[in-house]
């Protein structure tokens, strides 16, 4: 079976910093892949290459076995790759609906927007996702951290993604909302969406991801099946940078 | 003291919001009313007269047209310092076209020159926009260069000699004695405008009911239409109330004012209802977020400067036609008036915040102060000094307001 997404031998440097060094990962449709590692391990940099934020210095990206070039976030979205950025990347001076549809507004005559249709669709999406927001006409600058995260999540998944990249999606959420997002991730993977989930919290990720990728100092430490390892062994991988014997997936 | 202010604001906010009104706009309109009444008293009743209001609206048209564009430029977190020089350069260019290249009495001369002037404006915006968006040079630097370059280019292309006179049909675009649409057509426009307001409100109600969404109370919408109808009718009556010299024939609405109203409506719609405007606000709030959301921020920046150039072309047509001459000094310092109008009208220099109608009210406030002081016989240097202080105070008030809002 060909993987939904394959990143091969990705290299990315910033000045003298080797942010990502020769990393290869793959993701199947419907799979939840956990991406773990210390601060500065290169997790965000690796996925940003897939989201089109910046190009890799070298390496290939394959979608369903086909080599693709992703030059911008627009290219990535056109390929069905949606991203929830660690910084959320919301526009604080716009309201929730505007943020949800930013860059993909529902418009009619000569690009004039249909506000009512967008408001209604936004409302429906949030209900479906069981994400709670006070008022859709509120400016994002007046939302709490968790509410902002809800907006960012809803924005990424309302456009029928094939690949969903979540860079610490639950960092600011309360226990109940975190649980909702976990349920949501399970649902989305059931629908066949491939999900890359980045987190610091291995407890969070253990219950969701079927495979785990660990990075350290820009390098790939290893990939393991979640079922084959204990949390302590994964912690050891993150800290020591070594794969336990006979666990390599 | 502070507590009281906060209390008052929250109460007035709530009342205004319940009535579906914009608090900021109300504040600005209130300020304008105070300024008008004060000036009327100070000039011994010379200010609020059909004659003065007529001249005021004629004078405000050029600055107003360009302010519409400047608001979006500043919202996108850029600046265009070259707009005054653009007026001068495009004006000399258009005047030369009529006098040197086209038959000055030709029947097509007026619209060919007009289109060419708009084209030159778009081209200037294109060139500056390329440098800002694709070469990554700060807009402050690019357009400061544009200010110097174009002002001197305006001088250079005709060795500083003023080009006059201009085509007679073209002159109508500047207003003046014949450049109005007369009493009858003014009332027609008035009727259409009121019908237009009613139609917009009605369509918005219908769209909301189609989507089964919450409606504003009917009374508030009716009130809204009524207020607009009164404003439009009073304005028309005022324009018709100013008589042609030594006759009893009313002047009617000047053509430049019609152009300004048209530009304001279009630009407001673009800013608030069009994708382009939405993207401009997003980019001004955070260029990085806009880029991550898939907006091509470079192309957008280019378009913003081209739009500003187009409006400079339009502004230049009106000024040049009104002066009946293309002079290289035309539009000197206009960039300051235009930027001041946008900022007084609530556009934030930090980007991401601003309204077109606010900019128009800002332009009206600036122009009212200026012509009021002229009526009072205040010497020019003192006028300028006062306007400078008004600008600084307005920005200060705005800063305080925003801070209180956020707290
Ligand atoms: N835009 C950038 N410019 C320069 N250096 C960068 C940039 N982005 C990341 N880096 C560097 O690349 C390295 C990897 O950063 P990255 O953000 O990918 O880490 P991370 O694994 O996502 O960490 P965290 O868990 O803290 O989010 C770091 O050393 C960082 O300083
Ligand atoms: Mg990161």
């Amino acid at each position: 079976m060909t993987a939904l997404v394959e990143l091969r031998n990705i290299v990315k440097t910033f000045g003298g910093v080797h942010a990502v060094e020769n990393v290869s990962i793959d993701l199947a449709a419907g799979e939840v892949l956990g991406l773990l590692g210390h601060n500065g391990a290169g997790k965000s940099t690796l996925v940003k290459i897939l989201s089109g934020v910046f190009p890799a210095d070298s390496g290939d990206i394959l979608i369903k076995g086909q080599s693709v070039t992703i030059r911008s976030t627009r290219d990535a979205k056109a390929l069905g790759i949606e991203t929830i950025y660690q910084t959320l990347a919301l526009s604080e001076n716009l309201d929730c609906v505007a943020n949800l549809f930013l860059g993909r507004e529902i418009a009619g005559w000569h690009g004039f927007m249909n506000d009512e249709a967008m408001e209604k669709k936004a409302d429906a999406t949030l209900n479906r996702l069981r994400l709670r927001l006070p008022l859709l006409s509120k400016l994002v600058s007046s939302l709490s951290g968790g509410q902002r995260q809800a907006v960012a999540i809803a924005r990424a998944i309302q456009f029928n993604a094939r690949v969903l990249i979540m860079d610490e999606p639950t960092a600011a959420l309360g226990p109940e909302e975190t649980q909702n997002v976990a349920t949501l991730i399970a649902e989305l993977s059931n629908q066949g969406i491939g999900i890359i989930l980045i987190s610091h919290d291995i407890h969070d990720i253990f219950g969701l991801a079927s495979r785990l990728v660990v990075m350290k100092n820009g390098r790939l430490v290893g990939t393991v099946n979640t079922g084959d390892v204990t949390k302590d062994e994964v912690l050891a991988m993150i800290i020591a940078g070594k794969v336990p014997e006979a666990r390599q997936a | 003291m502070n507590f009281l202010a906060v209390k008052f604001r929250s109460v007035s906010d709530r009342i205004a919001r319940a009535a579906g009104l914009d608090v900021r706009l109300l504040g600005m309109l209130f300020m304008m009313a105070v300024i008008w009444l004060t000036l009327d008293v100070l000039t011994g009743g010379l200010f609020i007269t059909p004659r003065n209001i007529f001249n005021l609206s004629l004078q405000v048209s050029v600055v107003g047209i360009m302010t519409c564009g400047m608001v979006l430029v500043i919202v996108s977190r850029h600046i265009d310092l070259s707009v005054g020089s653009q007026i001068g350069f495009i004006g000399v260019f258009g005047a030369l076209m009529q006098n040197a290249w086209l038959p000055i009495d030709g029947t097509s001369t007026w619209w060919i020159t007009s289109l060419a002037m708009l084209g030159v404006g778009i081209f200037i915006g294109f060139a500056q926009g390329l440098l800002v968006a694709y070469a990554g040079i700060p807009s402050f630097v690019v357009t400061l260069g544009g200010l110097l370059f174009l002002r001197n280019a305006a001088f250079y292309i005709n060795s500083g000699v003023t080009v006059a006179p201009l085509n007679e049909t073209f002159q109508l675009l500047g207003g003046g004695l014949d450049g109005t649409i007369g009493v009858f057509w003014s009332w027609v426009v008035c009727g259409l405008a009121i019908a237009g307001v009613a139609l917009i409100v009605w369509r918005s109600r219908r769209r909301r009911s189609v989507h089964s969404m919450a409606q504003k109370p009917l009374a508030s919408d009716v009130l809204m239409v009524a207020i607009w109808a009164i404003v439009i009718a009073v304005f028309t009556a005022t324009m018709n109330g100013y008589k042609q010299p030594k006759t009893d024939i009313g002047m009617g609405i000047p053509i430049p004012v019609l152009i300004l109203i048209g530009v304001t409506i279009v630009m407001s719609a673009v800013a608030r209802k069009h994708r382009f405007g939405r993207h401009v606000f997003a980019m001004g709030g955070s260029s990085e977020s806009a880029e991550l959301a898939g907006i091509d921020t470079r192309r957008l920046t280019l378009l913003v400067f081209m739009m500003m150039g187009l409006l400079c072309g339009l502004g230049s047509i009106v000024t040049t036609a009104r002066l009946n001459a293309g002079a290289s000094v035309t539009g000197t310092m206009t960039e300051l008036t235009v930027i001041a109008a946008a900022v007084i009208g609530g556009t934030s220099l930090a980007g991401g915040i601003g309204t077109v109608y606010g900019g128009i009210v800002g332009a009206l406030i600036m122009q009212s102060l200026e012509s009021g002081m002229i009526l009072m016989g205040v010497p020019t240097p003192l006028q300028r000094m006062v306007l400078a202080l008004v600008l600084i105070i307005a920005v200060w008030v705005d800063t305080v307001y925003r801070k209180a809002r956020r707290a």
Side-chain angles (χ1 to χ4, degrees), chain B residues 136-371:
Chain B
I137 310 171
S139 54
F140 183 86
V141 175
V142 169
T143 60
L144 187 60
L147 180 151
L148 197 61
F149 184 95
L150 292 168
R151 178 64 65 202
N152 289 286
F155 188 91
Y156 190 74
I157 54 174
N158 202 37
S159 316
V161 180
T162 298
V163 191
L166 301 179
N167 174 276
E168 289 195 350
T169 317
F170 183 80
Q171 283 180 42
L172 299 183
L173 298 175
L177 259 191
D178 296 320
T180 62
I181 57 172
V183 172
F184 173 73
W185 288 107
S186 295
W187 284 121
V188 171
V189 167
C190 168
L192 288 176
I194 294 173
V197 171
L199 186 71
I200 288 171
V201 171
W202 177 73
R203 278 186 46 153
S204 148
R205 285 190 77 85
R206 207 190 48 174
R207 266 204 313 274
R208 294 190 73 85
S209 85
V210 165
H211 287 89
S212 54
M213 292 160 88
Q215 294 275 15
K216 271 187 213 167
L218 183 65
S220 117
D221 275 346
V222 170
L223 181 70
M224 181 87 158
V225 174
I227 291 176
W228 272 105
I230 291 170
V231 170
I232 294 169
V234 167
F235 174 75
T236 311
T238 311
M239 294 295 117
N240 287 340
Y242 178 41
K243 309 291 184 217
Q244 289 179 16
K246 298 187 193 94
T247 65
D248 202 31
I249 307 165
M251 292 287 276
I253 305 172
I255 291 173
V257 175
L258 281 182
I259 297 178
L260 171 63
I261 293 170
V263 167
T264 306
I265 292 171
V266 171
M267 292 301 292
S268 288
V270 165
R272 285 171 47 196
K273 296 286 176 190
H274 197 275
R275 249 192 207 139
F276 172 79
R278 174 66 52 85
H279 292 180
V280 168
F281 277 84
M283 179 168 80
S286 162
S287 175
E288 197 198 336
S289 295
E291 187 67 45
L292 291 180
I295 294 170
D296 187 342
T297 50
R298 294 207 254 185
R299 184 170 157 269
L300 191 63
T301 305
L302 179 63
L303 287 175
V304 167
F305 278 94
M306 288 170 70
M307 171 213 68
M308 187 69 245
L310 171 71
L311 291 176
C312 286
L314 199 52
S316 184
I317 290 173
V318 173
T319 319
T320 313
R322 188 152 158 241
L323 295 175
N324 189 19
S328 62
V329 293
T330 307
T332 305
M333 300 264 289
T334 303
E335 61 278 349
L336 289 184
T337 321
V338 170
I339 293 170
V343 170
I344 288 176
T347 309
S348 160
L349 284 167
I353 298 171
T355 54
V356 170
Y357 60 74
I360 295 297
V361 178
L364 265 174
I365 289 177
M366 292 283 287
Q367 197 63 57
S368 302
L369 287 173
E370 195 176 325
S371 60

Side-chain angles (χ1 to χ4, degrees), chain B residues 27-97:
Chain B
M28 280 190 294
L29 290 178
F30 177 73
M31 191 160 124
M32 217 176 75
V34 170
I35 290 173
W36 279 27
L37 289 174
T38 312
L39 286 173
D40 199 49
V41 172
L42 289 179
T43 56
L46 283 179
F47 195 83
I48 306 181
T49 58
R51 178 195 158 84
N52 190 50
I53 305 287
F54 180 92
N55 286 325
L56 186 67
S57 47
L58 197 52
Q59 284 154 359
V60 87
S61 7
V62 173
V63 170
I65 289 168
M66 295 203 295
T67 302
C68 289
M70 188 61 78
V71 167
L72 283 187
V73 171
I74 297 178
V75 164
S76 74
R77 215 189 288 186
H78 286 292
I79 195 81
D80 192 341
L81 299 173
S82 73
V83 295
S85 299
Q86 288 194 45
I87 294 267
F89 178 79
I90 299 170
V92 175
F93 172 85
L96 269 180
M97 240 182 118

